[in-house]
Structures are given as C-alpha cells and as structure tokens.
C-alpha cells in the first residue's frame, strides 16, 4: 500500500535536538496522489499512542503540532496517513522521530570551562584543550551531548570526533544568544573508563574581526567549552557529565588560530598533563538549540595544476574559487615546516594578496616525522582558488593535497541551465558564491579581513538564495540577530553582527536598501516557503524600521536627508568612493520607503492585522505620491536620469504609468552599449524593469554583453564566482586599484532570479509555490532553457526548447498545487498536478520574444 513520504519537522534535517516544544510537521503525498483531502497524525510517546483522528485539511506542509508540547529531552515517534483523490486512506508512513533539546534553562548544570593559566594579550594566545575522565559501570541505552563554546570547538569522546560540524557554534550576537548543538553519542561510550574532551579556538567570540586591523575580544576574553553529556542507563537512571571545575585543561599542538590569519599546528607537541580549568559565566537562558543544518564539508576539489617554481615553492590551482581549507598528506623529517598561503587570483604568476588587506590567510604545519601524516586546520577557513606551498619535502603530487569545501549544509533546491555556456557558467558562479558566503550566516566575502553579514547584500539576494538552496533557517536565524542589534529607535545596522570599525564604516545609522532587509527579506522567505511564522517573528522589527523612516521623512514623506550608501558600487563611481553613484541616493531612499511600507502592509494582512495593514498601505500611497512630486518630471523622465533611478521607480511601483520610464531606461542601456551602469541597488532589478515595461530584448542584450562592465565579462576572464566589482580584474590583467576588491561576492548574482522567472519561466504565484506561474520569455539567441525548484510539496519544473518550427515545453506541477501557464502567442490556461507538455509554433515565439512584457 502506498503511504506518505519524507515526514520532517520544522527546519531540522533529522528531528534531533529541536529547540521548540511544538515542532510543525510536513510530509510528501504518496506517489501518484494529486491532492490531499484529509490526514491523520499518530504520536507515540512513553505514555502511549495518541491519534488525531481524521482531520479534513489539504495542508501537508508545516502542519501544527497536534497534541501536548514536547518536554525537554522527550522523544516522540510520528506517523501520518492521508486521504487523497480516491477517498480511501493511505497506509501509515514510516515512523519518524523528533526529540527535544534542553528547553528550560534549569536543565543546564554545565558552566563554561577553559584554560587556568594566564594568557598573553594579542595574537599569541594558544588555544586550549579541555577534558575529563569518567567511568561507566552500567549498560548504556542512549547518550546525548549538548555542546557549545565561547569561541569554536570540536568535541571528542574516547579520542573520536563527535559530529562532523565545523566552526560550531557559529557567529551570533552572543550577548543575546549562544547556539548549542545536540549529538547522539550512544555508540561512542564503552563500559569502564571513558574520556570526553574538546579542542578550542577563538573563532568570532574573541578572535580578530573587522576593518583596519580589526578588534579582538568583542564578546569576551575567555575561550571556553560548555557541554552536558547525559547518559541514560538500562535501569532508567541518568549519569550527567557537565563541564565544571573537575575538568582539566592543557595547551595543544595548535599554536595560533584565527579566521582571518589561519592556523599554526606543531605536530611534534604531545599531549601535556592537564591543570585545573577556570570556570566562566553564561546565563543558560541565552542558550538556544541550533536545530538546522551545521557548517560541514560538502565537497572536495582536486588540483587542476601544480607549478614548481625556481625558489622551490609550489603554486597550486584548484580551478575553482571556493571557501574552505586544504587537507594535506605528507611524509618528511620532524620539524619540517610547511606554509600554505591562499588567494583568489594570481597576477603575473604571483598570489594577489592585496585584496586580502590585513588577512594573512596562511596555515602552517610542522611535521611530527616518522611516517605518513594527514593534516587539516580545525578553526579557520579561507576564500581561495590558489594556494602557495612552501617547505614541501619532496615532490608535491595532486593526490597529496585537496581543497575541502565548507559552508552551511543547506539542501539544494533550484537548478537552471540553457544552451549558452557562458550563461550557465554565470549561474554556476552564483551558486558557488552563495555556498562560500553562507557559513552560518550570510556574509559579503570570504577572503579579506571583513566577512560580515551586510544587510543590503542579503536583501537584494534573498529571492535568488531561496530558489537555489533551503536557506530559510539560516537567514531566519540571522534575522533574529538583526533584530537583536536593531536600535531602540528602529535603526538597522549595515551589517550584523555589529563589530567596531572606522568612522566611515560606523554602521549605526539608517541606510535605505540595507535597513529594508527587515521588511523585504522575511517577505521573500514567506513567498518561497509559505511559512507565516517567519513573517510573524520579524514583524516587530519591520514595523520599527518603517516607523523610523516615517519619522525621518517627516510630513512631506521624502527621505531626503542623511548619508546613504545609495547605488553602491555603481561602475562609474570612483574606486575609493563606491557610494558616489550616478543616482540620487535620496531618490533611492524614498523609493525603498514606499516599497517597505507596502510590504509591511502585505505582511500585516497575512497576519490578520487589518487596521495595521490599512495604515501602512495608506503610508505607502502617500510616499509614492511624494516621490512623483519630487522626482518625476512629467515626461517619463526623472530628476536622476540614470538607469537605477528608473529601475527603482518602475519596480517599486512609484509611477502612474511606468511605460515612458521603461522606454527611457531602454534608451540609457542602449546608449551605454548594453553595458552595466548600475550598482547594488539597480543591478538586481534592471532586467525585471526592462521586462516589465516591454523591453525584454534589451534585458537579454544586457545579459549577453561580454564587454566590461557586464555579468559575462568576469566569465570571459575565467571567473568561477561572482565578483564584488565589475572590473575586479581589469581587461589588462591588473587588479582594480580600490581597497575593496573581492572575487567572491554574491550580491550582483541576484540576476539569477531573472533567469529562473523569465528565461526559464518558473515563479511562485502563491506562497510556498502552492500556485505556480510558468511564463518563459525566450530571447537572446537562446534555443533552450530549463529550471526546477524543490518546493515544499515536490518538484516544480519547466524545460523549453526550439525544435524545427516549434517551441516544445515540458512542465511539472507538484502534488496539491496548481499552475498558470503563459506561453508566447497562447491564451493563458491553468493546469493541475503532474507532468504536462505543450507545443507553440516557433514563428509566434520569434515574433513575440522581444516584445512581450
């Protein structure tokens, strides 16, 4: 008998260590089923089995927890059966288990423990290892380790690594919340003597962070481990081993470790005798279970070329700009020192380290000697394509070094391909840049001394990110920190978490596009997942932001005062003044004010707050009117006669008639020979603005341009990720002279969202893709394109191609969903779940491809 599949809980990949007492439940319909009519949930607890009975409902995504909430540590088995199209009940699903973490601060007995010796200030603080021995004299039924750190940690039991996560607990606003993870360590324990311990590193907690040399000890000076091992025996008794004064600490073979600078490891150093630990303080109410995927190694990349230089150093090219670190296999005399320096590009045969600024990005390994040695750093990652190795004993071969790729282990959701290899490579670059910058939180770049959670970058990229990967839990968690860093007056910092910086970079001032992350990004997450709770969780933050801008704008509803980042990195801006764009930054600010007020009204409507929805809808209308009075000249032109000005006016619905503005935008693009003339604000939206106003042909020409500046120029220069600047590497092979030049920056890759929705032609028409729009608009000389997205209900997909005189279109609609189909030259029609095929005469496509909005 068929039965529902993939029963899952909230954001957790395995249901272990849930941070809330009422995890919502999702499942996939049985194979062949198109619609769900009703469902029944069964919960098996220690007290017995409970069933919900038949519930008439079509929902099978994020269904509310149906019975009594989970208690701390409680494990519950869950099964579901459904009634579908034939009216008969399905079989029961395979049982899935969900287990709560420690939900009450009173559950914690552990305190942070670290080294007991006096540490030097500065860069020479040696990481500690902490440990404790214990004896088990009764059989073990189950064991859970709840662990976190002030800093970063890797836990071990009996000399074996616990988990495969790295850089845990990640970076949060530590004063507000410190994440911990739950590990099943039942099979790690033995009868008799056991040892639990952890390696420690500074990480973000007390490591060097930020600009101009950075700042240390932002969150504290202690490097410490906080863990609680709870062991359940066959008689029901529980043994708890918690970090406390009974633990010992010793320096390990890691001499130095930092996220920017790298790690130094001397393998000659043996384990030392421990000394008593020093205990530290942590309010257990700030400990939060991380029940979403951790940072892990997701890929390994082998060298494509190794060059031995005259000075004996080796230059290794991995063929892909990535984020991670090297794992080496080496044999040599004791004391041999191997240095590994990283960079994203090579200029004139040498590593281009200037873009790293003050990040050393160098790892060092000192050999133990006596045989084959395997080593990989523990507490650092780098952004690089190239590595320079010094001191290698003997011949360096391709099987002796591998680049291991690390990022949050987000399930992939979206695909795209077409018959243009440059566009495909562009899309691959977007994907690689997202992977490299989603390491616990969304950062701007992975290589230099920055790596901060810039709010504007995430705001413009949110839709693309949500299509490509299941990143909702990561972004949602980061938005909690955005709210924690938000000032009482509503100001949203430019980057979160906030770290100290120079005067120019003081992030505590309101900035359009950056601050709007709290209104627009939750909406994008809701649109892609259908999760109302994401909107609810961040609604207060969104209101505080819009209310602040309303006060700043005043009675005329124009936000026309104060410094703005504006259309950041407009290619016409001076290298040392990226905010000096062609577009009036206050035009942008007022446009975003209207757009955020509008989305706040939409969110209030979803959250069933009609009065609030009406208030912000009226505010948005007032701001739109004010925009037209100040910035519209009456002939379709704006006071800022620049592409980004028109893009903002069109896409934020600020004009009574956008058509003349669209015509002027198309003229400006053509006058610039179809090269990019927009920055962080305009670039993600320009192809949509052209498409919406009937100029999809111009959008395609913009996309297909290969001269600098353009999306494809970096591809022609061998780029394997998205660059921060269009000319990060100039046509003459030199580096951009600006002090801010990253070769792995996802923001300008937001054009991928247009590839999905317009080139391939798939987009959500209702939250969570419960209804889908298939609307391909071929052009640009493409003869085929395809995209798919793993929605909460199953795969949605489209593939079209030209064959002879026809356009052949294949569509897939997930179970329980519906779709609107808009094909060139064909009246729109609706389809239901399942595969579908359509044929459109190619002459009609050729006629309409460059004109249909």
């Amino acid at each position: 008998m068929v039965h529902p599949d993939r029963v899952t809980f909230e954001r957790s990949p395995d249901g272990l260590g849930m941070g809330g007492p009422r995890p919502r439940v999702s499942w996939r319909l049985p194979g062949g089923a198109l619609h769900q009519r009703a469902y029944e949930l069964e919960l098996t607890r220690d007290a017995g089995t409970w069933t919900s009975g038949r519930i008439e409902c079509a929902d099978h995504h994020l269904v509310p927890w149906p019975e009594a909430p989970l208690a701390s540590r409680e494990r519950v088995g869950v099964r579901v059966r459904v009634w579908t199209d034939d009216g008969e009940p399905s079989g029961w699903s395979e049982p899935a288990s969900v287990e709560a973490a420690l939900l009450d601060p009173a559950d914690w007995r552990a305190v942070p423990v670290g080294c007991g010796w006096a540490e030097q200030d500065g860069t020479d603080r040696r990481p500690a290892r902490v440990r404790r021995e214990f004896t088990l004299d009764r059989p073990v039924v189950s064991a859970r380790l709840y662990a976190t750190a002030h800093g970063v940690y890797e836990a071990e039991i009996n000399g074996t690594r616990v988990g495969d996560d790295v850089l845990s607990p990640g970076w949060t606003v530590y004063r507000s919340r410190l994440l911990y993870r739950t590990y099943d360590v039942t099979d790690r324990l033995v009868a008799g003597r056991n040892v639990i311990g952890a390696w420690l590193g500074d990480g973000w907690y007390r490591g060097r962070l930020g600009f101009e040399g950075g700042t240390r000890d932002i969150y504290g000076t202690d490097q410490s481990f906080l863990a609680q091992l709870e062991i359940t025996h066959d008689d029901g008794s529980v043994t708890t081993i918690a970090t406390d004064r009974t633990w010992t600490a010793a320096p390990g073979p890691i001499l130095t470790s930092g996220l920017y600078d790298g790690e130094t490891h001397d393998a000659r150093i043996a384990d030392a005798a421990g000394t008593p630990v020093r205990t530290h303080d942590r309010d257990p109410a700030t400990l939060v279970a991380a029940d979403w995927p951790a940072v892990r190694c997701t890929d390994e990349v082998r060298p494509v070329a190794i060059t031995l230089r005259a000075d004996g150093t080796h230059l290794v090219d991995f063929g892909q700009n990535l984020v991670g670190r090297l794992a080496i296999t080496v044999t040599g005399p004791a004391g041999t020192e191997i240095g590994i320096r990283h960079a994203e590009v090579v200029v004139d045969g040498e590593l281009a380290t200037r873009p790293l600024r003050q990040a050393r990005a160098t790892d060092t390994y000192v050999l133990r000697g006596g045989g084959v040695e395997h080593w990989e750093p523990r507490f650092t990652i780098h952004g690089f394509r190239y590595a320079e190795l010094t001191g290698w004993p003997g011949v360096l071969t391709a099987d002796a070094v591998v680049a291991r790729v690390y990022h949050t282990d987000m399930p992939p959701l979206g695909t795209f391909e077409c018959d243009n290899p440059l566009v495909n490579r562009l899309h691959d670059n977007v994907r690689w840049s997202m992977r490299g910058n989603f390491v616990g939180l969304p950062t701007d770049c992975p290589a230099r001394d920055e790596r901060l959670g810039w709010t504007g970058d995430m705001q413009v990229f949110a839709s693309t990110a949500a299509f490509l990967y299941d990143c909702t839990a990561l972004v949602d968690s980061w938005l909690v920190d955005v709210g924690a860093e938000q000032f009482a007056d509503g100001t949203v910092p430019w980057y979160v978490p906030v770290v100290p910086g120079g005067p120019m970079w003081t992030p505590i001032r309101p900035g359009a596009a950056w601050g709007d992350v709290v209104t627009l990004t939750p909406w994008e997450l809701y649109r892609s997942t259908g999760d109302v709770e994401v909107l609810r969780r961040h609604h207060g933050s969104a209101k505080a932001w819009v209310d602040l801008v309303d006060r700043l704008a005043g009675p005329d509803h124009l936000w026309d005062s104060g410094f703005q980042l504006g259309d950041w990195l407009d290619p016409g801006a001076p290298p040392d003044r990226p905010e000096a764009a062609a577009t009036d930054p206050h035009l942008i600010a007022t446009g975003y004010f209207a757009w955020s007020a509008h989305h706040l009204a939409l969110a209030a409507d979803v959250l069933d707050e009609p009065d609030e929805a009406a208030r912000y809808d009226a505010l948005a209308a007032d701001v739109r009117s004010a925009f037209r009075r100040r910035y519209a000249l009456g002939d379709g032109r704006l006071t800022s006669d620049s592409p980004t000005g028109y893009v903002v006016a069109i896409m934020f619905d600020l004009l009574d008639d956008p058509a003349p503005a669209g015509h002027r935008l198309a003229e400006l693009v053509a006058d610039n020979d179809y090269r990019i003339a927009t920055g962080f604000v305009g670039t993600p939206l320009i192809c949509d603005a052209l498409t919406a106003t009937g100029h999809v042909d111009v959008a395609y020409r913009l996309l297909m341009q290969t001269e600098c500046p353009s999306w494809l120029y970096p591809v022609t220069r061998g780029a394997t990720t998205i660059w921060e600047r269009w000319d990060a590497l100039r046509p003459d092979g030199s580096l951009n002279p600006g002090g801010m030049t990253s070769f792995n920056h996802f923001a300008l890759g937001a054009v991928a969202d247009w590839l999905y929705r317009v080139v391939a032609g798939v987009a959500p028409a209702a939250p969570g893709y419960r209804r889908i729009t298939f609307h391909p608009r071929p052009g640009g000389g493409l003869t085929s394109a395809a995209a798919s997205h793993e929605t909460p209900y199953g795969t949605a997909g489209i593939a079209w191609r030209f064959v002879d005189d026809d356009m052949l279109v294949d569509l897939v609609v997930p179970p329980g969903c519906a779709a609107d189909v808009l094909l060139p030259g064909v009246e729109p029609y609706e389809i239901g779940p399942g595969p579908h095929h359509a044929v459109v005469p190619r002459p009609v496509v050729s006629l309409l491809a460059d004109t249909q909005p």
Side-chain angles (χ1 to χ4, degrees):
M1 176 180 285
V2 295
H3 53 75
D5 190 22
R6 290 181 57 183
V7 177
T8 57
F9 307 94
E10 289 280 344
R11 307 170 294 191
S12 174
D14 57 10
L16 179 65
M18 295 299 302
R22 294 183 176 275
R24 291 171 293 172
V25 188
S26 302
W27 58 87
R28 293 287 177 85
L29 297 184
L34 303 182
H35 301 282
Q36 174 181 293
R37 310 298 181 189
Y39 69 85
E40 182 177 15
L41 282 167
E42 177 191 85
L43 274 57
T44 300
R45 318 176 89 140
D46 288 345
T49 298
W50 173 92
T51 60
S52 66
R54 175 173 169 146
I55 297 175
E56 302 293 328
C57 184
D59 292 339
H60 51 98
H61 172 56
L62 299 177
V63 172
W65 185 254
E67 204 218 355
L70 295 172
S72 290
R73 311 175 183 85
E74 184 180 14
R75 189 172 183 85
V76 178
V78 179
R79 297 196 304 170
V80 63
R81 63 174 178 170
V82 298
W83 285 259
T84 58
D85 313 276
D86 60 7
E88 296 296 321
S90 70
W92 288 99
S93 67
E94 293 296 319
S97 296
V98 60
E99 181 178 317
L102 303 181
L103 305 182
D104 189 327
D107 295 326
W108 287 94
R109 290 169 45 186
V111 295
V113 299
C115 71
W117 58 85
E119 293 187 286
Q120 294 180 344
D121 293 334
T123 61
D124 298 326
R125 295 181 296 194
R126 188 168 167 185
R129 297 176 68 182
V130 295
R131 70 195 298 268
R132 181 191 158 173
E133 296 186 10
F134 60 96
T135 301
L136 296 176
D137 55 8
R138 286 166 291 170
V140 174
V141 173
S142 67
R144 299 290 185 265
L145 176 65
Y146 309 97
T148 188
H150 286 170
V152 286
Y153 71 91
E154 286 188 3
E156 294 180 341
I157 292 180
N158 295 326
T160 302
R161 173 91 158 85
V162 173
D164 57 1
D165 51 312
V166 301
L167 300 178
S168 289
W171 190 12
T172 53
V173 179
Y174 295 125
R175 68 177 181 274
S176 299
R177 60 192 195 118
L178 178 67
L179 304 180
Y180 70 91
R181 290 201 171 270
T182 303
Y183 306 89
D184 182 350
V185 294
T186 307
D187 60 355
R188 304 296 176 88
L189 301 173
V190 297
R193 177 181 174 272
N194 291 265
V195 180
I196 182 172
W199 299 70
L200 296 176
D202 285 350
W204 297 273
Y205 183 82
R206 71 171 197 176
R208 180 165 73 92
L209 296 175
F211 310 99
E212 301 172 359
T215 304
R216 296 182 182 276
D217 303 332
I218 292 175
Y219 300 100
T221 59
D222 65 303
Q223 180 194 81
S224 49
F225 186 51
L226 190 157
Q228 195 157 299
L229 173 63
E230 298 188 353
I231 306 162
T232 303
H233 301 283
D234 60 345
D235 61 358
S237 62
V238 176
T239 297
T240 300
I241 308 296
T243 47
D244 57 19
R245 295 183 182 278
T246 63
W247 287 56
T248 61
I254 299 177
L255 303 183
T256 62
S257 182
L259 293 166
Y260 291 171
D261 296 324
E263 190 162 295
T264 298
H265 184 111
D266 190 339
R268 298 170 300 177
I269 297 174
D271 288 342
T275 59
V277 295
R278 180 179 301 167
T279 61
H280 302 277
D281 295 325
R282 185 80 214 181
D283 180 358
T286 64
L287 299 177
V288 176
D291 50 15
W292 55 90
V295 175
R296 296 188 177 90
C297 178
T298 64
D299 203 353
E300 293 188 345
V301 178
R302 298 284 174 179
V304 297
I306 299 177
T307 303
L308 176 60
R309 295 155 156 170
D311 62 358
T313 62
H314 294 84
L315 180 65
V316 184
D317 178 5
F318 291 94
Q320 173 63 54
N321 195 11
L322 57 89
V323 174
R325 55 208 188 194
L326 297 194
I328 61 174
T329 301
V330 60
T331 303
T336 302
E337 183 174 301
I338 297 172
I340 307 172
R341 194 165 60 138
H342 307 77
E344 294 182 300
V345 294
V346 165
V347 176
D348 296 330
E350 299 294 330
L351 293 183
T353 57
R354 181 171 63 79
L356 301 179
R357 298 193 300 221
Q358 296 187 47
R360 291 185 60 244
T362 300
D363 299 324
T364 304
Y365 180 67
V366 182
L367 271 66
R368 177 181 62 253
V372 178
E373 300 179 47
H374 304 282
W375 180 72
E376 175 185 346
R378 291 177 185 268
F379 299 126
T380 190
I381 55 172
H382 310 287
F384 66 100
R385 171 175 171 169
Y386 300 91
E388 180 185 82
L389 277 68
T390 59
W392 190 271
V395 178
L396 177 61
T397 59
D399 59 353
V401 58
V402 61
R404 288 168 57 80
V405 178
Y406 285 95
H407 59 83
T408 297
D409 192 12
M410 309 167 290
L413 298 180
T415 67
F416 171 84
E417 62 179 340
C418 67
D419 64 309
N420 185 309
L422 293 180
V423 176
N424 286 340
R425 181 67 247 191
L426 170 67
H427 186 260
D428 285 346
N429 293 358
V430 175
R431 185 170 55 85
W432 274 100
S433 281
M434 179 175 172
R435 292 171 71 185
N437 283 293
F438 277 57
V439 181
L441 75 165
T443 59
D444 60 332
C445 60
R448 66 179 179 236
D449 55 348
E450 189 168 347
R451 313 184 196 184
L452 303 177
W454 282 87
T455 49
D457 296 45
M458 188 61 234
Q459 185 268 123
V460 301
F461 192 72
S463 183
T464 303
F467 187 93
L468 270 176
Y469 286 93
D470 185 359
C471 62
T472 299
L474 178 153
V475 179
D476 183 30
S477 170
W478 174 70
L479 285 170
V480 171
D481 284 319
V482 174
E485 297 279 42
Q486 188 173 14
F487 272 40
D489 70 352
T491 297
V492 175
W494 292 349
Y495 46 81
V496 172
V498 173
V499 302
M504 163 64 183
W505 299 112
T506 302
I508 311 302
R509 48 180 146 173
W514 278 255
D516 297 281
V517 70
V518 295
T519 53
L520 303 180
T521 298
W523 182 262
E524 288 297 339
L525 297 181
Y526 165 68
R527 195 173 70 98
S528 64
T529 65
D531 188 355
V532 176
E533 293 307 309
V534 172
L535 281 182
R536 194 183 316 279
R537 197 154 31 244
H538 307 294
H539 194 60
S541 183
K543 285 198 296 182
W545 168 251
V546 173
D547 289 348
L548 166 67
V549 178
D550 192 20
R551 294 194 302 273
L552 293 172
D556 65 1
H557 299 300
L558 294 166
W559 189 7
D560 57 1
S561 63
F563 176 82
Q564 295 286 344
L565 294 171
D567 195 25
W568 184 255
L569 282 172
D570 172 334
D576 59 343
R577 290 196 59 209
E579 81 284 0
T583 307
D584 180 352
H586 297 117
L587 178 154
I588 293 171
T590 301
Y592 263 103
F593 178 21
W595 198 231
S596 273
H598 169 66
H599 280 80
L600 190 55
L602 293 176
D605 187 59
V606 171
L607 297 174
D608 196 23
E609 298 285 350
D611 293 342
E612 187 176 290
R615 172 192 164 198
Y616 288 108
D617 190 54
L619 176 61
D622 288 342
V623 180
R624 285 194 292 266
S625 296
F627 180 95
R628 290 192 293 272
R629 287 194 304 271
R630 170 67 65 87
Y631 300 111
L633 297 178
D635 57 356
R637 297 203 176 198
L638 300 174
T639 54
S640 273
D641 190 34
S642 65
T644 292
Y646 293 104
V647 165
V648 167
I650 292 166
M651 294 309 298
F652 294 172
D653 193 24
L654 300 172
L655 304 173
D656 291 327
D657 179 7
H663 179 71
R664 178 56 182 160
L665 174 61
E667 283 183 341
L668 290 172
V669 173
D671 290 346
N672 197 41
D673 197 22
Y674 303 95
R675 289 182 173 91
I676 290 289
T678 49
F680 270 36
V681 167
T683 300
L685 302 171
I686 188 167
C687 286
D688 277 305
L690 290 164
T691 302
T693 53
H695 302 283
V696 71
D697 57 325
V698 178
Y700 268 108
R701 292 192 65 173
L702 192 63
L703 173 70
M704 297 299 181
Q705 174 64 263
T706 58
E707 297 298 319
C708 186
S710 68
W711 283 292
L712 295 185
Y713 165 74
V715 177
T716 67
R717 300 291 298 177
T720 60
T721 42
I722 300 298
W723 295 352
E724 179 179 23
R725 294 181 182 267
W726 302 107
D727 60 345
L729 195 65
R730 293 184 158 182
D732 64 2
S734 64
L735 289 172
N736 185 292
M740 186 182 68
T741 303
S742 163
F743 291 86
N744 193 349
H745 225 84
F746 58 69
L748 297 178
V751 68
D753 191 46
W754 186 78
L755 299 180
Y756 310 140
R757 292 181 290 100
V758 176
V759 177
V762 58
Y769 290 82
R770 201 63 187 264
R771 192 170 191 92
I772 301 160
T773 297
F774 291 119
H775 189 187
R777 278 148 285 189
L782 298 179
T783 61
S784 67
S788 68
H789 180 75
E790 196 67 19
T791 80
Y793 306 96
T795 303
I798 180 171
W800 63 261
R801 64 194 187 280
F802 291 155
V803 176
D804 298 327
D805 292 333
D806 293 322
M807 177 185 181
L808 308 183
V809 185
D810 292 298
L811 307 170
V812 177
V813 180
C817 301
D820 300 307
V821 182
L822 294 84
L823 299 178
V826 176
E827 287 294 317
Y829 61 96
E830 180 181 343
I831 56 177
H836 303 267
H837 181 73
V839 179
V840 177
R842 183 167 183 169
V844 175
V845 173
S846 300
L847 176 66
L848 295 182
D850 290 345
T851 59
Q852 178 173 314

